[in-house]
Amino acid sequence: MHRTLITWLQAAPLTVILLGFLVAPIIMIVIVSFWGATEFSIYPDFQFENYQFLFNSPVTYKVFFATFKYAFITWAFTLAIGFTVAYFLAFHVRSQTTQIALFLLCTIPFWTSNIIRMISWIPFLGRNGIANQTLMSWGVIDAPLDWLLYSDFSVILAFVHLYTLFMVVPIFNTMMRIDKSLLEAARDAGASGFQTLCHLIIPLTKPGIMIGTIFVVTLVMGDFITVRFMSGSQKANVGRLISNDIALLQYPSAAATAVVLLCTVLIMIAIMLRFVNIRKEL
Amino acid sequence: MEQRPRSFYVLASFFGLFILFLYGPTLTIALLSFQGPQGGLTFPMNGVSLYWFRDLFEQQAVGDIWGAFRRSLILGFMVMITTVVGSVMAGLAFRKRFAGSSVLFYLAITSLVIPSILISLGVGLIFNQLGFRVHWATSGFGSQLTWTLPFGLLIMFAVFNRFDKSYEEAARDQGASAWQTIRFVVVPIISPSLIGVALFGFTLSYDEFARTLLTAGSYNTLPLEIFGMTTNVTTPVIYALGTLTTLFSLCVIGFFLFVVWILGKRRSRFGSDAGKGL
């Protein structure tokens, strides 16, 4: 009895925070999603109007589609880049000190500000930015490209820039746990480098890929600030739909959209968690 | 040494390009923040000066950068300490079976994957309906913890997965009490990882944006202040600010890594005397 009490006390701070700032807010959002709103206030009610409006509006479907599109393209790029980088670090760098140093070099940007990292693309991508100037001086293009900044291109570029880290770290982590003697055995048995990669390394790295996927997909699905900033408010995703409603004080309708988004994300995560045991893989 | 295969050089160049991709933009704005007084947001450099840095230290026309910096700093420390204490305690709890442990684990995972704007919206709504004022040190603090605590918990899982239990057993065999085992054996062994958790706690809080957006109240934290500037500031002063806060982050990271390094040194010096007996 005494022991159980201590265990519960140890778990208490986490539990209290999660109950107060995760569970309660979700419950509140679900409740408010049934409320009504006037132009300047919200009032308790039990109506399905917010959901009706949401599901009957063609904008909703378009915006959800755009959100999935961002998530999928970003996922594909972060996975390809993240896997290659992790593979290089884990199997081609021989000294452990170099390995740690290069790994830190990859993770340091994670600890700096996302907003500044977004801002830092402006001198690159703008109409008179470095990219356009370079391409024009090389004679590749005659007029500056307009679609470099404030477009789907810049949004996805920023996502890949911000979130590839979330792929590199878990994939590198699982790769480091692969028993090196397996690689030797594969080579002794006559496998080519490519065969070792396909039949040994990729299958054994799947848990890391899954964890990275969970992070990247959820970060992109829930984002509103990258899309707003990098598209110059010209593109929309679900997060922006919610934040626009919030700005207009339409909390019930924001809450309804939030509930739908949350369900979508949780269903996706539940499916992905079937393929990986997070606690074991860390 | 075995000769390196050709794939090494291909992958090494890819890695180099990736690093350039990661750091290039930040270095560009660092360079551009030294624009002359007439300089714009992009190249060419219109002279070289410290004009925009000086501008930051003078009376601000927009916002209150230094106040925001101070608030972010205090909040960062609050979140850091709570994250370290909270995740170590939870990590210890999760080493044992207890009723509700899997519910709590999935809640922590949910907390990591939930779109940040939902936390912002939900906490904001609760505070409004209860008639409390949102403030960075209350609602903002709690909202940030929903992101840093689960992160800390995951790190603690990683730490305890690698923890050699025989140290604890040895301590107990020597007659250490449960508390002594934790205080003098477990905590010193995991201390480098705790520095890591502290680094996560501080930097994630210092840069947090989405979860603080609707929960910080009328006094902005630094990321909120910077975001406000992006909509109405069109001079390199924003690059100067970006460069300074990135430098600050780098110093913080450097400091934490240095502490970890010192701990490692001490450990190898005073840790084990195996093999030194005779």
Side-chain angles (χ1 to χ4, degrees):
Chain A
M1 189 58 226
H2 178 63
R3 282 208 143 162
T4 342
L5 190 69
I6 287 182
T7 310
W8 276 344
L9 278 179
Q10 285 170 337
L14 178 69
T15 316
V16 169
I17 291 290
L18 290 183
L19 286 180
F21 289 91
L22 176 76
V23 177
I26 293 176
I27 294 172
M28 189 67 188
I29 289 175
V30 173
I31 294 173
V32 172
S33 72
F34 294 104
W35 285 14
T38 63
E39 258 172 50
F40 47 86
S41 72
I42 57 176
Y43 56 90
D45 197 355
F46 189 74
Q47 52 172 29
F48 288 88
E49 225 170 83
N50 302 312
Y51 288 101
Q52 255 168 19
F53 181 79
L54 190 66
F55 285 114
N56 286 330
S57 157
V59 175
T60 311
Y61 297 97
K62 236 173 76 185
V63 167
F64 264 90
F65 178 75
T67 309
F68 282 117
K69 183 186 74 183
Y70 286 139
F72 180 76
I73 300 176
T74 308
W75 172 77
F77 276 104
T78 51
L79 176 59
I81 299 171
F83 186 89
T84 317
V85 167
Y87 180 79
F88 171 75
L89 283 178
F91 297 116
H92 281 275
V93 179
R94 284 169 183 164
S95 106
Q96 210 201 349
T97 321
T98 321
Q99 210 169 35
I100 294 173
L102 293 181
F103 180 71
L104 276 176
L105 201 59
C106 291
T107 43
I108 281 171
F110 172 67
W111 293 313
T112 62
S113 164
N114 277 4
I115 291 182
I116 297 192
R117 291 172 69 202
M118 282 184 235
I119 293 172
S120 66
W121 280 107
I122 291 179
F124 256 95
L125 301 176
R127 248 189 99 77
N128 301 314
I130 297 171
N132 271 326
Q133 283 176 6
T134 315
L135 288 174
M136 291 211 296
S137 71
W138 286 353
V140 182
I141 50 171
D142 299 324
L145 300 171
D146 285 329
W147 52 265
L148 288 180
L149 192 57
Y150 304 139
S151 61
D152 278 347
F153 171 78
S154 55
V155 171
I156 289 168
L157 184 75
F159 275 141
V160 173
H161 186 222
L162 293 176
Y163 298 145
T164 301
L165 252 42
F166 286 91
M167 279 290 187
V168 174
V169 174
I171 294 179
F172 176 73
N173 182 39
T174 31
M175 278 180 175
M176 289 303 283
R177 300 172 131 211
I178 295 178
D179 189 345
K180 292 284 187 296
S181 53
L182 285 175
L183 300 179
E184 281 168 32
R187 200 157 47 167
D188 288 348
S192 68
F194 185 70
Q195 280 172 322
T196 316
L197 179 69
C198 292
H199 297 296
L200 205 130
I201 296 175
I202 292 181
L204 288 176
T205 315
K206 265 185 191 153
I209 295 179
M210 268 302 163
I211 294 177
T213 304
I214 289 173
F215 271 112
V216 171
V217 168
T218 53
L219 284 167
V220 176
M221 294 281 298
D223 173 89
F224 64 104
I225 209 66
T226 314
V227 175
R228 175 166 156 199
F229 187 79
M230 294 307 288
S231 80
S233 297
Q234 292 174 37
K235 302 282 172 190
N237 69 344
V238 182
R240 282 207 62 204
L241 209 59
I242 299 173
S243 75
N244 284 351
D245 274 339
I246 292 173
L248 296 170
L249 303 181
Q250 297 299 307
Y251 292 114
S253 119
T257 317
V259 169
V260 177
L261 175 66
L262 181 64
C263 293
T264 319
V265 171
L266 288 185
I267 289 169
M268 290 171 73
I269 299 308
I271 294 171
M272 285 189 246
L273 281 179
R274 294 188 74 90
F275 297 102
V276 55
N277 182 343
I278 289 192
R279 274 186 72 173
K280 276 215 186 107
E281 291 306 331
L282 290 165
Chain B
M1 260 258 184
E2 195 183 346
Q3 214 197 334
R4 295 200 183 271
R6 193 175 324 138
S7 57
F8 169 82
Y9 297 98
V10 178
L11 288 168
S13 350
F14 185 86
F15 183 81
L17 284 176
F18 176 67
I19 294 298
L20 189 68
F21 171 66
L22 273 187
Y23 288 90
T26 315
L27 291 177
T28 316
I29 65 160
L31 205 60
L32 282 170
S33 59
F34 292 100
Q35 277 277 26
Q38 308 301 323
L41 283 176
T42 180
F43 285 110
M45 294 287 283
N46 217 327
V48 176
S49 73
L50 290 174
Y51 180 86
W52 301 108
F53 288 99
R54 211 172 310 133
D55 206 39
L56 272 183
F57 287 89
E58 275 159 16
Q59 195 57 43
Q60 284 300 305
V62 279
D64 168 25
I65 292 170
W66 296 103
F69 175 70
R70 211 187 54 237
R71 286 186 283 275
S72 275
L73 208 59
I74 298 171
L75 184 56
F77 277 114
M78 288 165 63
V79 170
M80 177 181 91
I81 291 164
T82 320
T83 304
V84 172
V85 174
S87 40
V88 170
M89 287 174 74
L92 289 172
F94 272 105
R95 296 181 81 197
K96 298 159 272 186
R97 295 204 150 273
F98 61 96
S101 69
S102 63
V103 176
L104 188 59
F105 174 71
Y106 281 108
L107 272 183
I109 296 294
T110 310
S111 192
L112 272 183
V113 303
I114 191 173
S116 304
I117 193 167
L118 263 77
I119 301 282
S120 231
L121 172 65
V123 172
L125 278 172
I126 290 182
F127 271 67
N128 281 337
Q129 292 300 316
L130 292 179
F132 298 148
R133 272 250 192 93
V134 283
H135 190 274
W136 56 269
T138 55
S139 51
F141 173 64
S143 307
Q144 292 194 342
L145 285 175
T146 61
W147 172 235
T148 58
L149 262 183
F151 238 112
L153 182 65
L154 288 191
I155 299 176
M156 292 321 293
F157 280 144
V159 170
F160 283 126
N161 279 349
R162 289 166 178 74
F163 188 81
D164 187 349
K165 291 188 179 66
S166 46
Y167 289 121
E168 273 171 291
E169 284 154 11
R172 241 186 342 260
D173 288 347
Q174 299 281 321
S177 69
W179 167 248
Q180 283 171 325
T181 312
I182 297 280
R183 168 69 185 78
F184 297 107
V185 177
V186 178
V187 170
I189 289 177
I190 63 174
S191 57
S193 319
L194 296 189
I195 306 289
V197 176
L199 172 62
F200 269 82
F202 182 82
T203 56
L204 293 186
S205 159
Y206 180 73
D207 298 323
E208 172 59 54
F209 178 83
R211 290 183 196 223
T212 340
L213 181 62
L214 296 177
T215 55
S218 33
Y219 298 104
N220 276 345
T221 58
L222 193 59
L224 296 173
E225 196 71 30
I226 293 173
F227 186 73
M229 285 176 74
T230 60
T231 51
N232 54 24
V233 175
T234 49
T235 59
V237 71
I238 194 160
Y239 293 159
L241 179 56
T243 306
L244 275 189
T245 136
T246 305
L247 261 180
F248 176 76
S249 291
L250 292 180
C251 289
V252 170
I253 297 166
F255 171 76
F256 279 100
L257 293 180
F258 180 71
V259 173
V260 171
W261 184 72
I262 292 285
L263 282 177
K265 282 266 165 193
R266 271 178 60 104
R267 179 163 307 178
S268 59
R269 203 147 25 109
F270 301 118
S272 168
D273 57 359
K276 290 176 193 156
L278 263 178

